[in-house]
Amino acid sequence: MSPHKVENKEQAKYLASLPASNVGALWTVMEAMVPPRPAPKAEVASWKYKELRPLLEEAGRLVNAEEAERRVLMLVNPAMTAPYTTDTLYGGLQLILPGETAIAHRHTAFALRFIIEGERGFTAVGGKKVTMRRGDVITTPSWQWHDHGHEGEGPMIWLDGLDLPLYQAFPTNFAEIYKEPRYPSEPSEDDSDLRIGWETAQADLDAQPGVHAIYHYGIGEGDSRRPLSKTVGGQAERVDAGAKSSPMRETCSFIYHCYQGKGKTTLRLASGEEKVVEWSRGDSFAVPAWTQRVHVAEEGETAYLFAVNDKPLLTQLGMYRKE
């Protein structure tokens, strides 16, 4: 679609008269409204763990858990403002220290956690106390009471992934604080509806042939298996040492996190511009929608990546495409 050009003074006068009636001419902005290709506002962005971890430690010294409610450093896309890490996804690094409680609340937004560091921390969701281990994906379904605690030593740090950007268009997200710091909960023998361990993802990845593999997180088994939520999904990827993935491009966006290894990702934007992000253990990076990506792992060590995505949302809306 080509933009409309005003051809004469009569047209210009007509268009200038429309705002007084609170109307506008669609044909003058058609290409902006319905672009010829996906046009995300978000840019490629990356965050180095070795730079953010000291900032988290300082936050832990300066702000206690009660003051913060959630002690999080948001991953803010440089082309946008919080809560945008991509156009549809929010990411943040959360810290909880030994003996602390991140008080119980519930909210409309869906959340998942990818555990980066620490032992014996827990999330309690809807009465189930789920122990955190490095590499776990822990989900918090919409409107479930949940709190976090730490019964071990050293910091617990994880990546939060939420659908908060959606509620900038749909102003229906809100939260409620529970009457006590913790919602009553007990350890559960079956927490498979809330926690997926890294061992599950890696076993699937390592069983797949080829130098690159993708595992899509889900809940349930067989025909009843479903994405983690209606809006936010998760995936893990393996890239063998010294190898690279085939080019991939999808309408969904991603917040990637390096679980293990070193490498780089070449990103070709919808505009044709190309950017390269280098990553190692703990680093995170944002990939806008319709950006072609190619991962390359360094020699000597297999690389494993985790990613939050918005594929479930786009699939339900009939907007998911890939090349």
Side-chain angles (χ1 to χ4, degrees):
M1 298 179 184
S2 58
H4 174 80
K5 294 181 180 179
V6 176
E7 299 294 341
N8 55 54
K9 290 182 179 180
E10 188 176 11
Q11 282 189 359
K13 183 179 179 181
Y14 168 77
L15 294 173
S17 73
L18 296 179
S21 298
N22 295 319
V23 296
L26 173 62
W27 61 89
T28 65
V29 294
M30 181 67 82
E31 188 168 19
M33 292 278 192
V34 190
R37 59 175 182 265
K41 294 181 177 67
E43 297 178 352
V44 172
S46 62
W47 296 268
K48 298 295 185 184
Y49 192 57
K50 66 180 181 181
E51 297 174 5
L52 295 192
R53 194 180 187 282
L55 295 177
L56 278 172
E57 289 181 316
E58 185 72 354
R61 185 181 70 84
L62 295 172
V63 184
N64 65 45
E66 290 74 21
E67 289 177 303
E69 187 173 339
R70 294 295 187 268
R71 192 191 289 113
V72 179
L73 291 182
M74 300 181 292
L75 305 182
V76 182
N77 194 281
M80 308 179 80
T81 58
Y84 295 97
T85 307
T86 74
D87 291 74
T88 52
L89 298 171
Y90 159 92
L93 297 187
Q94 184 164 170
L95 167 70
I96 188 166
L97 297 173
E100 288 186 332
T101 296
I103 62 173
H105 68 191
R106 61 182 179 179
H107 43 67
T108 310
F110 169 84
L112 65 77
R113 336 279 177 189
F114 184 80
I115 311 306
I116 298 172
E117 178 182 337
E119 296 290 339
R120 295 185 63 202
F122 67 86
T123 290
V125 183
K128 286 186 178 182
K129 186 178 178 182
V130 182
T131 301
M132 297 175 171
R133 302 173 302 177
R134 179 172 177 260
D136 282 353
V137 168
I138 297 174
T139 65
T140 306
S142 174
W143 209 241
Q144 287 287 321
W145 292 112
H146 59 282
D147 55 76
H148 311 299
H150 192 358
E151 298 170 332
E153 299 178 358
M156 287 294 309
I157 300 173
W158 61 85
L159 171 69
D160 284 325
L162 287 87
D163 50 10
L164 286 174
L166 303 182
Y167 297 101
Q168 307 309 297
F170 300 97
T172 52
N173 181 43
F174 59 99
E176 181 180 356
I177 304 297
Y178 190 62
K179 61 185 177 180
E180 301 290 342
R182 288 187 175 167
Y183 185 78
S185 62
E186 295 290 339
S188 173
E189 292 184 3
D190 181 15
D191 59 10
S192 60
D193 58 332
L194 298 173
R195 187 187 72 83
I196 302 169
W198 177 256
E199 66 280 0
T200 299
Q202 184 169 341
D204 185 280
L205 291 172
D206 291 347
Q208 294 183 43
V211 299
H212 174 240
I214 301 177
Y215 168 77
H216 294 283
Y217 286 82
I219 296 172
E221 301 291 339
D223 293 340
S224 64
R225 194 170 189 267
R226 63 188 189 279
L228 299 178
S229 76
K230 294 180 179 180
T231 53
V232 176
Q235 65 190 62
E237 298 184 39
R238 167 183 55 81
V239 186
D240 287 351
K244 69 177 182 179
S245 64
S246 298
M248 301 166 284
R249 184 159 75 164
E250 302 168 73
T251 45
C252 50
S253 61
F254 303 87
I255 304 172
Y256 271 95
H257 177 82
C258 178
Y259 175 80
Q260 176 182 306
K262 291 183 179 181
K264 64 181 180 181
T265 298
T266 300
L267 299 164
R268 184 178 296 276
L269 306 181
S271 64
E273 182 183 2
E274 191 171 282
K275 295 192 175 184
V276 177
V277 174
E278 295 184 352
W279 39 261
S280 59
R281 177 172 166 169
D283 294 346
S284 302
F285 60 100
V287 178
W290 206 237
T291 298
Q292 185 189 81
R293 62 198 194 279
V294 176
H295 306 306
V296 181
E298 284 192 2
E299 296 284 352
E301 184 180 15
T302 296
Y304 292 94
L305 299 167
F306 169 78
V308 185
N309 64 49
D310 54 3
K311 184 177 178 180
L313 170 69
L314 298 184
T315 299
Q316 291 210 77
L317 294 175
M319 299 170 65
Y320 176 75
R321 306 284 188 276
K322 69 176 181 178
E323 286 185 351

